[in-house]
Amino acid sequence: MSAEAYLAEAGAALQKLNLDKIQQGARLLTDSVAGGGSIFAFGASHAFMVVEEMVYRAGGLMLVNPIYPHGMN
């Protein structure tokens, strides 16, 4: 696949994103944190990479609590 074809496919995929739903989810998270709550995140197998991004790459947000199921990641 050429770079041009890849970028065209990536652009088409991005156009399908529902930004309203993403913003709604972000509001739920920020409202929880602002109200003194925490965020608990879970993912099995490769889905756990999203949790790792939230916990490790984001600088170890103390409000994000990863759920580590034994043998699942």
Side-chain angles (χ1 to χ4, degrees):
M1 174 183 286
S2 70
E4 291 82 11
Y6 174 82
L7 291 173
E9 289 292 325
L14 289 172
Q15 293 299 318
K16 295 178 184 178
L17 290 177
N18 186 333
L19 296 180
D20 290 334
K21 293 293 183 184
I22 293 171
Q23 289 173 339
Q24 182 182 7
R27 262 189 242 98
L28 287 170
L29 293 172
T30 56
D31 288 349
S32 175
V33 170
S38 294
I39 299 169
F40 293 85
F42 167 81
S45 188
H46 285 85
F48 194 75
M49 290 188 301
V50 175
V51 177
E52 291 176 320
E53 290 290 324
M54 294 172 68
V55 174
Y56 301 119
R57 187 176 303 265
L61 292 172
M62 297 304 291
L63 300 170
V64 177
N65 300 287
I67 299 172
Y68 296 106
H70 179 67
M72 293 289 287
N73 63 346

